[in-house]
Amino acid sequence: MIGRSGIAVRNVVRADPASVVELQKYGVATIHEAMGRIGLLAPYIRPIYPGAKVCGTAVTIFAHPGDNWMLHVAAEMLRPGDVAVLGTSSDSTDGMFGDLLATSFRARGALGLVIDAGCRDAGELREMGFPVWSKSVHAKGTVKATVGSVNTPIICAGALVHPGDVVVADDDGVVIVPKATAPRVAAAAGQREAKETATRRRLAAGELGLDVYGMREPLAKAGLEYFADEAALDPESRR
Amino acid sequence: MIGRSGIAVRNVVRADPASVVELQKYGVATIHEAMGRIGLLAPYIRPIYPGAKVCGTAVTIFAHPGDNWMLHVAAEMLRPGDVAVLGTSSDSTDGMFGDLLATSFRARGALGLVIDAGCRDAGELREMGFPVWSKSVHAKGTVKATVGSVNTPIICAGALVHPGDVVVADDDGVVIVPKATAPRVAAAAGQREAKETATRRRLAAGELGLDVYGMREPLAKAGLEYFADEAALDPESRR
Amino acid sequence: MIGRSGIAVRNVVRADPASVVELQKYGVATIHEAMGRIGLLAPYIRPIYPGAKVCGTAVTIFAHPGDNWMLHVAAEMLRPGDVAVLGTSSDSTDGMFGDLLATSFRARGALGLVIDAGCRDAGELREMGFPVWSKSVHAKGTVKATVGSVNTPIICAGALVHPGDVVVADDDGVVIVPKATAPRVAAAAGQREAKETATRRRLAAGELGLDVYGMREPLAKAGLEYFADEAALDPESRR
Amino acid sequence: MIGRSGIAVRNVVRADPASVVELQKYGVATIHEAMGRIGLLAPYIRPIYPGAKVCGTAVTIFAHPGDNWMLHVAAEMLRPGDVAVLGTSSDSTDGMFGDLLATSFRARGALGLVIDAGCRDAGELREMGFPVWSKSVHAKGTVKATVGSVNTPIICAGALVHPGDVVVADDDGVVIVPKATAPRVAAAAGQREAKETATRRRLAAGELGLDVYGMREPLAKAGLEYFADEAALDPESRR
Amino acid sequence: MIGRSGIAVRNVVRADPASVVELQKYGVATIHEAMGRIGLLAPYIRPIYPGAKVCGTAVTIFAHPGDNWMLHVAAEMLRPGDVAVLGTSSDSTDGMFGDLLATSFRARGALGLVIDAGCRDAGELREMGFPVWSKSVHAKGTVKATVGSVNTPIICAGALVHPGDVVVADDDGVVIVPKATAPRVAAAAGQREAKETATRRRLAAGELGLDVYGMREPLAKAGLEYFADEAALDPESRR
Amino acid sequence: MIGRSGIAVRNVVRADPASVVELQKYGVATIHEAMGRIGLLAPYIRPIYPGAKVCGTAVTIFAHPGDNWMLHVAAEMLRPGDVAVLGTSSDSTDGMFGDLLATSFRARGALGLVIDAGCRDAGELREMGFPVWSKSVHAKGTVKATVGSVNTPIICAGALVHPGDVVVADDDGVVIVPKATAPRVAAAAGQREAKETATRRRLAAGELGLDVYGMREPLAKAGLEYFADEAALDPESRR
């Protein structure tokens, strides 16, 4: 049950490695489109420094606000190529994760963290190159008093995440690819990227999207009228 | 009428080029002061990367949330030196603009975009050096289903923007200079800048603003009292 | 009295210099922990550029929103090693501080500014290397019409600040160390740092926090149950 | 110019009284639809008590945050049937309006106030039955130090308001009808209301909107597929 | 798949009626506690008028912001005792639901609506007594252009909702009880309520929670120290 | 020290009863003005139902988010005429207070609660007539795991509160009157009220604030210009 505490699952089925390798090539926006425009975390989740990018398999953490105990429990479950993803039982901006945990996570082979709460030691994490996508950066420390869960389904920033799902994060935010659909999404992302590369070339050469995408007729049908200049408009529209 | 859909105006009167060249020299804060402290967009509009600066003429776009169709219509209206400015019919943080549209806008000679909604492909845009001032960065994709308008007056982040107005944007945000007042504002900004340069020199040399601006007497009149130290205060003020 | 206007105190007792020098070595998170997890400003106070760090003694400013007069009054009170800290009588995001005041503050020896309002000339301040921690970056200018106070106790972003307190600010935010406790806090921070350095080495070598901190037994007592895999969970927990 | 201070216009052209009387019959939502889905203030503007409704002509006020001087200037311009509408030069939640000003406004015949800032004496205003639509309720007092303008165009909560425009406000928020379009909008609102009354009757009788509006075919074309039950879905869709 | 569009499921398994009848007796807070402190929607979901309470089975709706087409599709799926619950593909405050849809929903036997977006006609809905829990009240109208889904799992305000789950909503917000656990939760809520009634009586008689719950010893162990008065505190603690 | 945990002070010096009785007569706005426009809590603190009013002496509580243990400790310190005021160590919207604690607080003679966090059982509290001013209403339950403090100075919603201070709360929010200044503030509030009553009478009779307060000359000096109508304005100002 989403939000149930007291459960730690040691082994989870992870998305197949080939799909993860393939998805690594694409950005969050492309993958989200390839999924049919779904799977994103809410826009308030932002990278703590620009230019970071990760693609890996989710170890999920359910924690209580102001309590980072479960991050230590999760460390043991992390394997090379994993990305930790943490949801909380209620809103918090406290700094639940810092450079010590990052050192431990890195030693376990983890690629990064997505956390629906705060992060601290932002300067050290930038220097280490350990990327975090968080709701806030704040020095506020936490306790280790209440148990949550590790590797159960969670809701993180409005998205449902199962352990083993693919997590892709870059400057545009975070997208979750359910493990079952990863191969299909990877293929669709590849096709989309190929198509976009061709389109990009035409647009760079000065062609208009109106022509590249054949939009002129649908726009007219949808009621768009062209006017030579402002004088051609009725007075009401000029205000 | 502000917010009316279905209108695309091909040719608009743009601010005179000499004023644009002149305004390019000054920052957003200086121009806003030179206008009598008006013309700014709301503070939630932020550059997607630091250090960007543009000064150009507005092509205005009115769009519906989650729908980026009108950005393609606007591409055709863009001329070298233009800055696209987009307002929406209701709140949205979706990523309505990305690297494909940026490629097209650049091919048309546009300098950048100001958007009261989200932007995506933030990493690619930073690499391209195509600056965007937006409300959010989010990968969320959009549809092309409902028409808005291009080159009609819009409200963007609380400011009224007419097509052809001057748009200046930097690390401090965005200011709109109505085209009719651009020459006057450019002149006033120049005078202000000259005065500030002189003041900066005096302050750097250790003079106090209190003396440079002659504030000591007005402060006393307004009721400011000086005390040698905390012990001189009555007990009530020490809490 | 907190929030009383019209008072400017020339000389204040500052935290002892040795403690300031000592505290300079530690980050905001470490100091906040060393104080018993208190003293932080709210998380909305953020540095205007990454990587800045200051540690100095507070000159406090109480100002009214949209009015930066008291910043000029404060300039005269600033001594080398001071950090200006500004609280307001009600919410504001206006740009009360810019490069002219920064030039003056620097000439006086100030290290930086913490402001519960907006800041402008962000690009120039970054180039000058004059760090500001603020609520917003906005070009909005201010008037000089109403007096506040300088060097009286203030509330800034939810924290009580007395003149002379130690202000430490970095990428993680801002912490205030009351001057009376500075020596004790500096000592505690040093001990904490030493302990963390040892722990960091063990974690980097692959040891788990669970073992380093001896958490396995308390976790079991708190009710955490381990499962080999998802199949071992009851159906309710799988949703 | 939007945002220019120092101007007080005594006489303005108001929307024709017949249109105002007609518009009074309809709610904000209906009028907004009749205008082509435009003209609303942002959703953060809320009535200070439920059940209030006004429809009148705008006396516009441009004020600086924390300064309610212009509300007194506006009082003199108010005529029976007017609604005061206030925009500010930057964000504020201070209580710029209370029961004394309400007493004065009522004595002048004003129907209510729309304010992009705070309001106070909320209990007294509820007892007086003087409705206010505001951004916040807060006791914070204001000064009378800086002039703004009265009866110039303003931007209030993202909407452009000219003096004399029709202001309609109820539990759903506030809509502005430009005076030139008031007769056309009143007519369209009447037609819309008539149509809705007929539709309401059919829906109350148990007919479905799908049939009343003929949506079944367009839904199928847009790709909606019906399934008898969850078992008929492919496994991917069940998560 | 969460967030997949184009699916409408006609028949869903609903929670057993006896559990719904039982859960109807308890408030949202009690049920949330009985579930182990989980299942709540985010705190920004608020009733549009005070005093409303519903308990019914969920018909889920997935919609795109600014598009209320799927609410009409959902109307056909509603049965007596249902509560419609709507999640969106990205943030929106538009008024997607008003008195016409409420008339239709009521005719179908629905008890109310929970919507992670805006609602309008708030006054009419209050008069009708048709309760809505929403993110905002705003008159902003919507289009009918893009299909979403009905009766697929959704995320609404941070909670996962399956069709047929029990939805309980009152002044404190909204809780979702998964249909499989409804009987167990109903029983636990009943036990909790009985215990609270006994406790309430003791507290009303002047007994302290410290004694009723036996907290004195654990508090001492956790480090709480009692002092007779402020004079007994060390100076540091008095600030 | 603000924010120090582990301290419970049994007896505190309360503001003198005569001042409390006197202050009870005035609203929050009046008292805030009488104090020199200071002492308010932030505007996000709102009453959970309209029309409530309390005036009493503060028992202060410092708690950790999601933990309501200290409210039980505080119950023992409450005396007839007290108002509990709770600040937290970091942001929270959890429902830390409900009808059981209200029953206990009332049995102790407490008048109400001001809480910089959430409150639940809002419907029951409204029926009991036990007023709460809070940041949110949310059913989210809390634990009893970490000690805070009772009757030490706290910061609540941006205001410093000492135990024994006077707390006045109504529809406009909450104001704190330091106990030492209570007699002076009560006297000033009385004078202000008397003056306002006289002014109200004049304004109700149709006199303008411009004349009652003698504002015409200062407005002219501050640069306000009157124009007979819009035609008299230069074209720039008409936009």
Side-chain angles (χ1 to χ4, degrees), chain F residues 33-51:
Chain F
E33 291 284 350
M35 287 174 75
R37 217 169 289 145
I38 63 178
L40 292 175
L41 269 60
Y44 63 77
I45 297 291
R46 301 294 305 143
I48 62 167
Y49 55 85

Side-chain angles (χ1 to χ4, degrees), chain D:
Chain D
M1 197 192 300
I2 297 283
R4 198 157 129 189
S5 292
I7 297 168
V9 177
R10 291 195 181 277
N11 300 292
V12 295
V13 179
R14 283 163 170 86
D16 81 292
S19 302
V20 177
V21 166
E22 188 59 24
L23 285 165
Q24 219 154 348
K25 301 177 189 162
Y26 312 112
V28 168
T30 300
I31 293 171
H32 150 76
E33 292 283 352
M35 287 174 74
R37 218 170 287 145
I38 61 177
L40 292 175
L41 268 60
Y44 63 76
I45 296 291
R46 300 294 305 142
I48 61 167
Y49 55 85
K53 167 100 199 270
V54 297
C55 176
T57 41
V59 161
T60 59
I61 307 168
F62 175 69
H64 298 282
D67 194 310
N68 75 347
W69 219 5
M70 299 316 288
L71 283 156
H72 289 281
V73 175
E76 194 175 22
M77 286 23 169
L78 288 167
R79 298 190 189 163
D82 281 343
V83 175
V85 184
L86 183 148
T88 61
S89 64
S90 69
D91 271 11
S92 177
T93 57
D94 292 357
M96 296 176 71
F97 184 87
D99 78 312
L100 283 181
L101 271 165
T103 301
S104 179
F105 276 30
R106 167 154 291 172
R108 306 293 299 175
L111 305 175
L113 169 74
V114 175
I115 181 166
D116 196 355
C119 163
R120 64 185 190 177
D121 300 333
E124 289 81 355
L125 293 171
R126 193 174 57 231
E127 278 162 35
M128 285 176 67
F130 190 90
V132 175
W133 284 256
S134 71
K135 186 174 168 177
S136 69
V137 172
H138 199 208
K140 185 73 177 63
T142 51
V143 295
K144 295 172 205 336
T146 316
V147 297
S149 291
V150 173
N151 278 335
T152 59
I154 60 166
I155 291 183
C156 177
L160 180 64
V161 190
H162 282 83
D165 283 351
V166 186
V167 182
V168 192
D170 63 17
D171 283 318
D172 286 353
V174 183
V175 68
I176 303 299
V177 186
K179 53 193 155 188
T181 68
R184 190 169 57 69
V185 171
Q191 286 159 18
R192 193 178 166 87
E193 188 89 336
K195 207 168 136 192
E196 287 202 348
T197 303
T199 305
R200 192 175 293 107
R201 213 170 296 129
R202 291 177 65 184
L203 295 172
E207 270 190 89
L208 287 168
L210 293 177
D211 300 312
V212 173
Y213 301 111
M215 289 170 172
R216 292 194 191 269
E217 199 187 306
L219 279 166
K221 271 193 191 154
L224 185 68
E225 281 184 271
Y226 281 86
F227 298 84
D229 52 38
E230 289 157 296
L233 289 172
D234 58 300
E236 263 189 31
S237 301
R238 288 185 217 166
R239 170 170 164 178

Side-chain angles (χ1 to χ4, degrees), chain B residues 32-33 172 200 227 236-237, chain C residues 1 4 8 10 99 121 141:
Chain B
H32 150 75
E33 291 284 351
D172 286 353
R200 193 176 292 109
F227 298 84
E236 263 190 30
S237 300
Chain C
M1 196 194 299
R4 198 159 129 188
R10 292 196 180 277
D99 78 312
D121 300 332

Side-chain angles (χ1 to χ4, degrees), chain B residues 27-30 32-33 37 40-43 45-46 50-52 170-173 192 196-197 199-201 203-211 213 215-216 218-219 222-230 233-239, chain C residues 1-2 4-13 69-70 72-73 75-77 93 99-101 103-104 107-108 119-124 126 136-153 160 162-163 179:
Chain B
V28 168
T30 300
H32 150 75
E33 291 284 351
R37 216 169 287 146
L40 293 174
L41 268 60
I45 297 290
R46 300 295 305 143
D170 63 16
D171 283 319
D172 286 353
R192 193 178 166 88
E196 287 202 349
T197 304
T199 306
R200 193 176 292 109
R201 211 170 297 130
L203 295 172
E207 268 190 272
L208 288 167
L210 292 177
D211 301 311
Y213 303 110
M215 289 169 173
R216 294 193 190 272
L219 279 165
L224 185 69
E225 280 185 272
Y226 281 86
F227 298 84
D229 51 38
E230 289 157 296
L233 290 171
D234 57 300
E236 263 190 30
S237 300
R238 289 184 215 166
R239 172 170 163 177
Chain C
M1 196 194 299
I2 298 282
R4 198 159 129 188
S5 293
I7 297 168
V9 177
R10 292 196 180 277
N11 300 291
V12 295
V13 179
W69 218 5
M70 298 317 288
H72 289 281
V73 174
E76 194 175 23
M77 288 19 171
T93 57
D99 78 312
L100 283 181
L101 271 164
T103 300
S104 178
R108 306 291 300 174
C119 165
R120 64 184 191 177
D121 300 332
E124 290 80 356
R126 193 174 58 230
S136 69
V137 172
H138 198 208
K140 186 72 178 60
T142 49
V143 295
K144 295 171 206 336
T146 315
V147 298
S149 290
V150 172
N151 278 335
T152 59
L160 180 63
H162 281 83
K179 55 193 155 188

Side-chain angles (χ1 to χ4, degrees), chain A:
Chain A
M1 196 192 301
I2 298 282
R4 198 158 128 188
S5 292
I7 298 168
V9 178
R10 290 195 182 278
N11 300 293
V12 296
V13 180
R14 284 166 170 82
D16 82 292
S19 300
V20 177
V21 167
E22 187 60 24
L23 284 166
Q24 218 154 348
K25 301 177 188 161
Y26 312 113
V28 168
T30 300
I31 292 170
H32 150 76
E33 291 283 351
M35 287 175 75
R37 218 169 289 145
I38 61 177
L40 292 174
L41 269 60
Y44 63 77
I45 297 291
R46 300 295 305 142
I48 62 166
Y49 54 86
K53 167 100 200 271
V54 299
C55 176
T57 41
V59 162
T60 58
I61 307 167
F62 175 68
H64 298 282
D67 194 310
N68 75 347
W69 219 5
M70 299 316 288
L71 283 156
H72 288 281
V73 175
E76 195 175 20
M77 285 26 169
L78 287 168
R79 298 192 188 160
D82 280 345
V83 175
V85 184
L86 183 148
T88 61
S89 65
S90 68
D91 272 10
S92 177
T93 57
D94 292 356
M96 295 176 72
F97 184 88
D99 78 312
L100 283 182
L101 271 165
T103 300
S104 178
F105 277 29
R106 167 155 290 172
R108 306 291 301 172
L111 304 176
L113 170 73
V114 175
I115 180 167
D116 196 356
C119 165
R120 65 184 190 177
D121 300 332
E124 289 79 357
L125 294 171
R126 193 174 57 230
E127 278 161 35
M128 286 175 68
F130 190 89
V132 175
W133 283 257
S134 71
K135 187 175 167 177
S136 69
V137 173
H138 198 208
K140 187 71 179 62
T142 50
V143 296
K144 295 170 206 338
T146 315
V147 298
S149 292
V150 172
N151 279 335
T152 60
I154 60 165
I155 290 183
C156 178
L160 179 64
V161 190
H162 282 83
D165 283 350
V166 187
V167 182
V168 191
D170 63 15
D171 283 319
D172 286 353
V174 182
V175 68
I176 303 300
V177 185
K179 52 193 158 189
T181 68
R184 189 168 59 68
V185 171
Q191 285 159 18
R192 192 177 166 88
E193 189 89 336
K195 206 168 135 192
E196 287 202 348
T197 303
T199 306
R200 193 176 292 107
R201 213 171 297 128
R202 291 176 67 184
L203 294 173
E207 269 190 89
L208 288 167
L210 293 178
D211 300 313
V212 172
Y213 301 111
M215 288 169 173
R216 293 192 191 271
E217 200 186 307
L219 279 165
K221 271 193 193 155
L224 186 68
E225 282 185 88
Y226 280 86
F227 298 84
D229 52 38
E230 290 158 296
L233 290 171
D234 58 300
E236 264 188 29
S237 299
R238 289 185 216 166
R239 172 172 164 176

Side-chain angles (χ1 to χ4, degrees), chain B residues 165-218:
Chain B
D165 283 350
V166 186
V167 182
V168 191
D170 63 16
D171 283 319
D172 286 353
V174 183
V175 68
I176 304 300
V177 185
K179 53 192 156 189
T181 68
R184 190 170 56 71
V185 171
Q191 284 159 18
R192 193 178 166 88
E193 188 89 335
K195 207 169 135 192
E196 287 202 349
T197 304
T199 306
R200 193 176 292 109
R201 211 170 297 130
R202 292 177 65 183
L203 295 172
E207 268 190 272
L208 288 167
L210 292 177
D211 301 311
V212 172
Y213 303 110
M215 289 169 173
R216 294 193 190 272
E217 200 187 308

Side-chain angles (χ1 to χ4, degrees), chain F:
Chain F
M1 197 191 299
I2 297 283
R4 197 158 131 190
S5 292
I7 297 167
V9 178
R10 291 195 180 278
N11 299 291
V12 296
V13 180
R14 285 165 169 83
D16 82 292
S19 301
V20 177
V21 166
E22 187 60 24
L23 284 165
Q24 219 155 346
K25 301 176 189 163
Y26 313 113
V28 168
T30 300
I31 292 171
H32 150 75
E33 291 284 350
M35 287 174 75
R37 217 169 289 145
I38 63 178
L40 292 175
L41 269 60
Y44 63 77
I45 297 291
R46 301 294 305 143
I48 62 167
Y49 55 85
K53 168 99 200 269
V54 298
C55 175
T57 41
V59 161
T60 59
I61 307 168
F62 175 69
H64 298 282
D67 194 309
N68 75 347
W69 219 6
M70 299 316 288
L71 283 156
H72 289 281
V73 175
E76 194 174 24
M77 288 19 171
L78 287 167
R79 298 191 188 161
D82 280 344
V83 176
V85 184
L86 184 148
T88 62
S89 65
S90 68
D91 271 11
S92 178
T93 57
D94 292 357
M96 297 176 71
F97 183 88
D99 78 312
L100 283 182
L101 271 165
T103 300
S104 178
F105 276 29
R106 167 155 291 172
R108 305 292 300 173
L111 305 174
L113 169 73
V114 174
I115 181 167
D116 196 354
C119 164
R120 64 184 191 177
D121 300 333
E124 289 81 356
L125 294 171
R126 193 175 56 231
E127 277 161 36
M128 286 175 68
F130 190 89
V132 175
W133 285 257
S134 70
K135 187 174 166 177
S136 68
V137 172
H138 198 209
K140 185 73 178 60
T142 50
V143 296
K144 294 172 207 338
T146 315
V147 298
S149 292
V150 172
N151 278 334
T152 60
I154 60 165
I155 291 183
C156 178
L160 180 64
V161 191
H162 282 82
D165 283 350
V166 186
V167 183
V168 191
D170 63 16
D171 283 317
D172 286 353
V174 182
V175 68
I176 304 299
V177 185
K179 53 194 156 188
T181 67
R184 191 171 55 71
V185 171
Q191 285 159 18
R192 193 178 165 88
E193 188 89 335
K195 208 169 134 193
E196 287 202 348
T197 304
T199 305
R200 192 176 292 109
R201 211 170 298 128
R202 291 177 65 183
L203 294 172
E207 269 191 88
L208 287 167
L210 293 177
D211 300 312
V212 171
Y213 301 111
M215 288 169 173
R216 294 195 190 271
E217 201 187 306
L219 279 166
K221 272 193 190 155
L224 185 68
E225 281 184 272
Y226 281 86
F227 297 85
D229 51 37
E230 289 157 297
L233 290 171
D234 57 300
E236 264 188 30
S237 301
R238 288 184 217 166
R239 171 170 162 177

